[in-house]
Amino acid sequence: MPPASPTSPESSSSPSVGRRTVLGAAAAAVPVLAGAAAPARAAGAARRSPRALPGGGDLGPNVLVFDPSTPGIQAALDQVFHQQESAQFGTGRYALLFKPGTYHGLNAQIGFYTSIAGLGLSPDDTTINGDVTVDAGWFNGNATQNFWRSAENLALVPVNGTNRWAVAQAAPFRRMHVRGGLNLAPSGYGWASGGYLADCRIDGQVGPYSQQQWYTRDSSVGSWLNGVWNMVFSGVQGAPAQSFPNPPYTTLDTTPVSREKPFLYLNGGEFRVFLPEKRTNARGVTWGGGTPRGTSLPLSQFYVARPGVSAATLNQALAQGLHLLLTPGIYHVDRPIQVNRANTVVLGLGYATLVPDNGSTVLKVADVDGVRLAGFLVDAGPVNSATLLEIGPAGASADHSANPTTVQDVFVRIGGAGAGKATTSMVINSRHTIVDHTWIWRADHGTGVGWETNRADHGLVVNGDDVLCTGLFVEHFNKYDVQWNGQRGRTIFFQNEKAYDAPNQAAIQNGSVKGYAAYKVGDDVTAHEGWGLGSYCYYNVAPSIVQHHGFAAPNRPGVRFHGLLVVSLGGNGQYEHVINETGSPTSGTSTTPSTVPAYP
């Protein structure tokens, strides 16, 4: 059932927090809170210029905010889930936010394009005695399409001692405290293809069971049960020891550089956005010792965007010095959103989705310090875009090591929800950029899918030096999924499938090479390092296709890899090697990985 039409928003000039109700009678008492009033500075600017945009404002009808006394919470959660459970390419977008306090007897089932989060500074400020559940009943127990959902900043006390989070790509589990165990598989232990967990404490055991791959960063776990193909850990207390390929654990004691994702929280009755500080050689959670380290911004310093707003208005807000908060919904932009100011925050709620019109780029970041992009989806439009997201202009060279740009839970989709094309999805030109969890996906199912219908040559192109990717998922592109030209790049965890729908061997021929590598390091690169990288092929249209290798890189001492694997899924296509001319070929239909523990 779609949400009821909203009532008129209350005045943003009121110092009190406004209320509205959504989702009809079943959740009539569930409030959506308005933002704090615009500051005097912004109000003064508005008097000087009638067209000046205010900061703060209402979070819109698809942000549901609960407190422990709210009646009908379970009914509201169930209604959102009923709408979103199987809406894989639907238009609904929701954020479920819980004020600090203790909640009892809840089971928040999380469907597509739904985010659930606590509004405290620490996960332990908001405790749910109950579960935050993802399962796969909608898809007959197969969790490989449980995309686009998230859980953040909550403490859970699971009813039966173990919380179930059976997800695939683009479904982060961040800043969570599970006072028990965590099961990453669906009921019945069907297929699963995840996933990402960061800044979490799991007191009990994490059981991946059928999960094919998983990346865990800067967390603490009681224990870890098993691994299928590729389990990667960096900065994780309690992680299993390095043992790739048997068991397939790639373990780094620390994460070289990390900065957690910005998040919305309540300070009294005021919404603020917390900006965690950068850590080097990090290990464990950021919040374990009390108040996390970082700074915060009032919501009054954000332009609170609603679907239907134009790119020109978003750019006006940025030019005024405001940050952007994208409330849940779908936004069409006819020109790039231009982020030109250092330390700008662009934060999405509830999988806010940006779609380019007329082949434009969706968002461009100048070569400045400290920009934070987080929590939104970019969906390619029917007219080809040369690029969808650009971090820094071509030739960017400034040193951002002290204050890098971060791209976190920013996901890209080409096709699936409709026809879409983009030559390159994401281009990183700025030095020291951190990409912390992305899924860049040329759709293999849904609407508008075909070898040329949703043509997309490259997923990620890195031209900047000193770029770090932690949790990189890139799939199904027509040519190189990842092309890395910058020096001293590092990737911790990579998951890839080659395009399913190649019509024949000739369609993927790369000069004299059979197929484009999933991850290609440029011929001129002298220093690069990767840990825990996997590429899978499933050429179901032409199963006789041979892919020469999953990975390609220059043979130099400074170019190093740890824990590489390739897998043929059911014998639909085969790899001749893992990297360059190294690694045994895949064969048969057993989905047995071919591995290279270290290269060279």
Side-chain angles (χ1 to χ4, degrees):
M1 175 179 177
S5 298
T7 58
S8 299
E10 299 190 24
S11 170
S12 64
S13 63
S14 168
S16 63
V17 176
R19 289 175 178 264
R20 298 193 295 165
T21 59
V22 298
L23 287 176
V30 180
V32 174
L33 300 193
R41 174 184 58 80
R47 286 193 294 271
R48 290 192 298 275
S49 171
R51 292 178 294 182
L53 298 169
D58 193 282
L59 297 182
N62 289 4
V63 176
L64 281 66
V65 177
F66 307 98
D67 64 47
S69 65
T70 302
I73 296 176
Q74 187 65 56
L77 297 174
D78 290 347
Q79 192 167 352
V80 172
F81 178 66
H82 178 72
Q83 178 178 312
Q84 299 300 114
E85 179 183 11
S86 58
Q88 181 171 179
F89 298 111
T91 58
R93 304 286 188 273
Y94 289 94
L96 312 173
L97 305 181
F98 286 75
K99 289 184 180 183
T102 302
Y103 300 77
H104 297 279
L106 297 181
N107 181 19
Q109 299 181 82
I110 306 300
F112 286 100
Y113 313 110
T114 304
S115 298
I116 187 170
L119 288 171
L121 266 180
S122 165
D124 288 328
D125 293 340
T126 310
T127 298
I128 292 178
N129 287 287
D131 296 84
V132 172
T133 302
V134 177
D135 208 341
W138 75 276
F139 200 44
N140 299 315
N142 179 347
T144 60
Q145 292 182 23
N146 280 350
F147 313 138
W148 305 306
R149 62 199 75 197
S150 66
E152 300 184 45
N153 204 29
L154 293 164
L156 304 179
V157 183
V159 170
N160 70 355
T162 300
N163 189 75
R164 186 183 303 277
W165 186 256
V167 297
Q169 289 80 5
F173 200 77
R174 285 187 181 268
R175 200 178 169 75
M176 297 285 287
H177 185 189
V178 180
R179 298 175 191 166
L182 185 64
N183 184 341
L184 303 179
S187 299
Y189 303 98
W191 293 337
S193 181
Y196 175 92
L197 184 153
D199 202 23
C200 291
R201 174 173 290 153
I202 314 301
D203 291 349
Q205 184 177 74
V206 179
Y209 298 103
S210 55
Q211 279 288 355
Q212 295 162 348
Q213 67 279 316
W214 198 274
Y215 175 51
T216 306
R217 178 182 64 72
D218 296 356
S219 293
S220 173
V221 299
S223 61
W224 191 272
L225 179 63
N226 72 295
V228 177
W229 291 338
N230 190 30
M231 302 285 154
V232 180
F233 309 84
S234 66
V236 179
Q237 296 166 340
Q242 168 71 33
S243 58
F244 186 89
N246 187 26
Y249 299 146
T250 298
T251 302
L252 290 77
D253 286 342
T254 62
T255 304
V257 187
S258 58
R259 188 173 67 190
E260 297 304 327
K261 178 185 172 185
F263 61 92
L264 196 67
Y265 75 103
L266 275 173
N267 180 26
E270 178 194 27
F271 276 120
R272 298 181 70 89
V273 173
F274 193 81
L275 307 176
E277 71 174 14
K278 186 188 77 170
R279 297 200 292 171
T280 56
N281 298 317
R283 182 173 173 83
V285 302
T286 62
W287 46 269
T291 303
R293 298 177 65 87
T295 59
S296 72
L297 298 169
L299 195 66
S300 57
Q301 293 184 21
F302 285 77
Y303 177 69
V304 179
R306 300 279 289 274
V309 70
S310 69
T313 299
L314 297 174
N315 283 329
Q316 180 187 347
L318 291 168
Q320 285 179 206
L322 294 171
H323 307 275
L324 296 182
L325 184 74
L326 305 174
T327 64
I330 298 175
Y331 299 72
H332 283 265
V333 295
D334 62 355
R335 67 197 71 177
I337 301 167
Q338 300 274 359
V339 179
N340 296 324
R341 188 180 73 256
N343 301 309
T344 298
V345 180
V346 180
L347 176 62
L349 300 179
Y351 284 80
T353 301
L354 301 170
V355 183
D357 294 333
N358 305 317
S360 67
T361 298
V362 166
L363 190 148
K364 294 184 177 183
V365 179
D367 193 23
V368 295
D369 273 358
V371 171
R372 304 184 195 226
L373 308 180
F376 57 89
L377 171 63
V378 175
D379 214 346
V383 178
N384 185 71
S385 296
T387 60
L388 291 172
L389 183 65
E390 295 181 15
I391 310 301
S397 59
D399 186 323
H400 303 296
S401 56
N403 187 13
T405 284
T406 48
V407 182
Q408 298 175 288
D409 299 347
V410 174
F411 308 116
V412 179
R413 178 172 65 194
I414 317 292
K421 292 185 178 183
T423 303
T424 301
S425 293
M426 187 184 299
V427 179
I428 299 176
N429 295 313
S430 286
R431 294 180 62 195
H432 303 102
T433 298
I434 299 172
V435 178
D436 176 45
H437 190 223
T438 187
W439 184 38
I440 305 173
W441 185 59
R442 176 181 168 268
D444 61 88
H445 62 275
T447 303
V449 172
W451 184 248
E452 296 296 342
T453 306
N454 61 330
R455 180 84 195 186
D457 285 351
H458 306 291
L460 173 66
V461 174
V462 179
N463 297 316
D465 295 339
D466 308 292
V467 170
L468 170 65
C469 290
T470 53
L472 179 60
F473 300 73
V474 188
E475 295 189 306
H476 305 152
F477 285 84
N478 295 77
K479 292 186 177 179
Y480 295 123
D481 299 270
V482 173
Q483 169 74 59
W484 204 301
N485 301 316
Q487 297 287 355
R488 298 176 299 281
R490 292 175 291 183
T491 294
I492 304 173
F493 182 89
F494 172 68
Q495 188 265 330
N496 165 264
E497 287 179 346
K498 295 302 300 174
Y500 291 178
D501 54 349
N504 49 51
Q505 186 77 46
I508 64 162
Q509 194 67 18
N510 180 15
S512 61
V513 179
K514 299 173 185 174
Y516 289 82
Y519 189 106
K520 163 69 172 174
V521 179
D523 294 341
D524 296 330
V525 171
T526 58
H528 188 93
E529 195 158 10
W531 296 263
L533 284 69
S535 176
Y536 321 149
C537 73
Y538 183 68
Y539 289 115
N540 61 330
V541 173
S544 63
I545 286 178
V546 174
Q547 176 84 23
H548 184 67
H549 46 215
F551 303 90
N555 287 300
R556 295 192 177 97
V559 178
R560 304 186 301 273
F561 291 92
H562 317 269
L564 294 170
L565 69 147
V566 296
V567 179
S568 169
L569 302 178
N572 290 277
Q574 301 290 348
Y575 293 90
E576 291 181 327
H577 300 286
V578 178
I579 179 169
N580 296 344
E581 308 302 316
T582 298
S584 300
T586 60
S587 63
T589 61
S590 65
T591 66
T592 300
S594 177
T595 62
V596 172
Y599 183 88

